[in-house]
Amino acid sequence: QVQLVESGGGLVQAGGSLRLSCAASGRTLSSYVMGWFRQAPGKERESVAAISRRGGRIYYADSVKGRFTISRDNAKNTVHLQMNSLKPEDTAVYFCAADPNLLGVTSISYYRGSDKYAYWGQGTQVTVSS
C-alpha cells in the first residue's frame, strides 16, 4: 500500500503560478500510474493530468493543456504539477492519486477516470483570486 501526501497549495493571483508536489511512502512510486485531480465546491472531482509509470505517456485535461505540466521523479518518490497562468476557475482542492495498473493498461487516457485509482491523498487547496 502507498500513502500519498500533497503539498504546495495556496492563494495566488490570476496569472500566477504554483507547483504542487505529491510525496509517496510505503511503496516505490515507479510501480504506479499517477494522476492529479481537482474538486471545486459543489462540483464533481475532475481529472487534471495523468502520467505513466516511467513518465513516457502523459494525459492532460483540455482545460489545463498548455498551462499545467505533470512530472515525476521516481528516485525521489514524488510527482509534481506545475501550474502556470492560473485562472480563478482553477480554484479547487487538488488531489494526487496512484494506481498499480495491474491490468497492464497502455492508454494513459484510461486514467482520466477517478474510479481507476486505488490510492488517494488528502488534497491541497488552491485558490486563485481575480
Side-chain angles (χ1 to χ4, degrees):
Q1 189 169 351
V2 63
Q3 291 80 42
L4 305 172
V5 178
E6 303 93 337
S7 62
L11 174 63
V12 64
Q13 288 188 334
S17 298
L18 283 174
R19 188 188 194 212
L20 304 184
S21 297
C22 174
S25 61
R27 287 286 189 272
T28 302
L29 198 62
S30 60
S31 300
Y32 297 87
V33 173
M34 300 298 297
W36 284 97
F37 287 76
R38 65 187 182 186
Q39 188 166 18
K43 294 188 177 181
E44 293 187 355
R45 190 169 297 190
E46 64 174 357
S47 175
V48 174
I51 188 167
S52 59
R53 283 181 281 202
R54 295 185 180 181
R57 286 167 284 140
I58 290 175
Y59 161 83
Y60 292 106
D62 287 343
S63 59
V64 306
K65 277 182 183 176
R67 300 188 298 122
F68 291 11
T69 302
I70 188 171
S71 63
R72 65 190 301 159
D73 186 340
N74 287 339
K76 295 183 178 180
N77 256 18
T78 57
V79 176
H80 301 288
L81 185 69
Q82 177 66 43
M83 306 186 296
N84 298 329
S85 302
L86 282 161
K87 305 175 181 180
E89 51 262 45
D90 295 318
T91 295
V93 178
Y94 283 71
F95 300 88
C96 70
D99 188 76
N101 192 11
L102 298 178
L103 299 178
V105 175
T106 57
S107 172
I108 193 61
S109 62
Y110 172 86
Y111 280 97
R112 291 174 297 179
S114 59
D115 60 329
K116 304 301 189 292
Y117 293 85
Y119 305 103
W120 290 85
Q122 293 300 307
T124 185
Q125 176 70 46
V126 171
T127 303
V128 184
S129 62
S130 57

